[in-house]
Amino acid sequence: NEQQKKAVDTVEGPVMVIAGPGTGKTQILSRRVANILTEDKAHPEEIVCLTYTDAGASEMLDRIEGLIGEKGRKVRVSTIHSFCSELILENSDLFGRQPKVISTAVKYELLKETMDKYITKNSSLYKNRGDRYSSREQLLDLFSMMKRKRLNKAGIEKKIEECKGKQKYQRLLDGVSIVEKYSEKILEHNYFDFDDMILWTIEKLKKNKDFQRNVSKGIKYLFVDEFQDTSVIQYELVKLLVKGKKKEELNIFVVGDDDQSIYRFQGVSAKNIQTFEKKYQLTQIILE
């Protein structure tokens, strides 16, 4: 339809497409990439498409290949975590670390050790009967949420003081203390998880201007799918990928639906869409 065609044909500048379920957004993303390549506006390697799942990335690559052939397989389509992993591997001399991916079993083991050592009888997490480790899933969720929202113990304590609810949030405070000790233990063993890859990449892009400039220069067109489900740190990464570009070079295309976020419990910021609208003078297209 008319709006879908507009989304496919508007290839220059920042563009936001608000698209609910059943509006053909995967097709639009694929056709827009194919349109850019057909018009010779960029090489496949200069196009980066960030998706939320590996399945989404695979589907998009298949669609692009179906539209323009083998050339479409060279487009850099991946999840945000995979994109960061590739950057780290390609620039191992810059990152200077050979970390180990932490497995679920190791997570549980290290967390149990931490709980045994630091949960005392005075803690609201202490249990003298039943499953002593029954709060481990909550603690792991808290660990992930703190990283994705860029929170630390001091920041959480400050928020709680503002709410005047220290007693009410005692279990949370005790949990944060355990999570910080657990985080230290992970670093001691040189383990990392997917969120760490994003944080390391952000750190290097911020501290090393040449690295940031080169990464940004290598991306002529940036696509971000399921934008409403990007976390605080993921949106921070997206901004760094286009930082320093001139207005006429700022070709960033995001697709999202602010009514459809299903990942808010994972540290997703519901404000990302509104913040993006304010930051960039963009074309907004709404698909019915």
Side-chain angles (χ1 to χ4, degrees):
N1 61 40
E2 189 177 334
Q3 289 299 92
Q4 289 172 326
K5 189 174 189 304
K6 183 180 178 183
V8 170
D9 290 340
T10 309
V11 295
E12 304 300 334
V15 180
M16 173 182 283
V17 172
I18 303 297
T23 52
K25 61 189 175 113
T26 307
Q27 183 185 32
I28 282 164
L29 284 162
S30 307
R31 286 186 177 275
R32 193 172 187 271
V33 172
N35 188 23
I36 289 166
L37 292 173
T38 304
E39 296 292 325
D40 290 325
K41 291 183 177 292
H43 298 296
E45 298 84 359
E46 295 175 316
I47 300 173
V48 170
C49 302
L50 302 176
T51 65
Y52 216 85
T53 63
D54 289 321
S58 180
E59 182 185 354
M60 192 183 297
L61 271 176
D62 289 342
R63 282 178 180 255
I64 296 169
E65 184 181 20
L67 289 165
I68 61 169
E70 185 64 29
K71 181 181 178 182
R73 303 296 305 183
K74 294 179 182 177
V75 175
R76 295 158 69 187
V77 183
S78 67
T79 63
I80 292 175
H81 297 113
S82 296
F83 175 79
C84 290
S85 176
E86 286 173 18
L87 276 182
I88 291 168
L89 290 171
E90 288 168 3
N91 300 275
S92 56
D93 55 329
L94 185 64
F95 282 85
R97 63 177 91 196
Q98 291 297 322
K100 302 168 284 185
V101 180
I102 191 167
S103 67
T104 302
V106 172
K107 278 184 187 179
Y108 285 158
E109 197 58 40
L110 292 181
L111 183 57
K112 281 182 179 180
E113 288 176 16
T114 308
M115 292 171 78
D116 286 342
K117 186 172 181 179
Y118 294 104
I119 294 181
T120 64
K121 289 184 179 181
N122 297 324
S123 171
S124 60
L125 298 171
Y126 179 75
K127 293 188 78 172
N128 61 358
R129 64 182 67 184
D131 184 2
R132 291 167 54 208
Y133 308 110
S134 59
S135 58
R136 67 183 183 186
E137 294 295 345
Q138 288 174 304
L139 289 168
L140 289 173
D141 285 343
L142 178 61
F143 176 63
S144 293
M145 185 272 285
M146 286 174 67
K147 281 201 286 188
R148 291 172 181 173
K149 284 200 170 186
R150 290 285 210 178
L151 292 171
N152 56 24
K153 186 178 180 181
I156 290 175
E157 285 177 341
K158 186 180 177 183
K159 290 279 186 187
I160 289 172
E161 281 176 17
E162 288 171 3
C163 297
K164 297 179 181 178
K166 193 167 184 180
Q167 195 65 39
K168 182 180 176 183
Y169 292 103
Q170 190 57 52
R171 185 175 172 83
L172 172 61
L173 288 170
D174 290 343
V176 169
S177 297
I178 297 301
V179 161
E180 292 221 326
K181 295 296 183 184
Y182 168 68
S183 181
E184 290 170 10
K185 190 173 276 289
I186 284 179
L187 286 174
E188 283 172 21
H189 289 78
N190 205 28
Y191 281 115
F192 77 101
D193 63 15
F194 293 128
D195 291 323
D196 290 321
M197 287 191 289
I198 299 177
L199 290 168
W200 292 344
T201 305
I202 287 171
E203 182 186 353
K204 284 297 176 208
L205 288 169
K206 281 184 172 180
K207 288 184 176 179
N208 192 314
K209 291 182 179 179
D210 288 336
F211 177 56
Q212 188 277 325
R213 198 180 298 115
N214 289 335
V215 170
S216 181
K217 190 177 178 182
I219 302 172
K220 201 167 180 181
Y221 289 89
L222 178 64
F223 291 67
V224 185
D225 194 12
E226 304 292 358
F227 188 67
Q228 78 281 354
D229 288 326
T230 50
S231 68
V232 172
I233 60 170
Q234 288 170 339
Y235 183 41
E236 197 174 340
L237 174 73
V238 168
K239 287 187 288 185
L240 284 165
L241 295 180
V242 296
K243 183 182 176 183
K245 286 185 178 293
K246 296 175 184 175
K247 187 178 177 182
E248 61 271 19
E249 299 171 334
L250 195 59
N251 301 319
I252 177 170
F253 184 86
V254 304
V255 180
D257 183 351
D258 54 1
D259 290 331
Q260 293 295 323
S261 180
I262 59 172
Y263 290 103
R264 289 202 173 118
F265 66 93
Q266 289 187 349
V268 166
S269 172
K271 295 180 181 177
N272 282 353
I273 286 181
Q274 295 95 315
T275 306
F276 186 83
E277 284 181 285
K278 289 176 183 175
K279 184 172 178 63
Y280 303 105
Q281 292 182 319
L282 52 80
T283 301
Q284 188 181 89
I285 300 167
I286 299 174
L287 301 186
E288 301 294 342

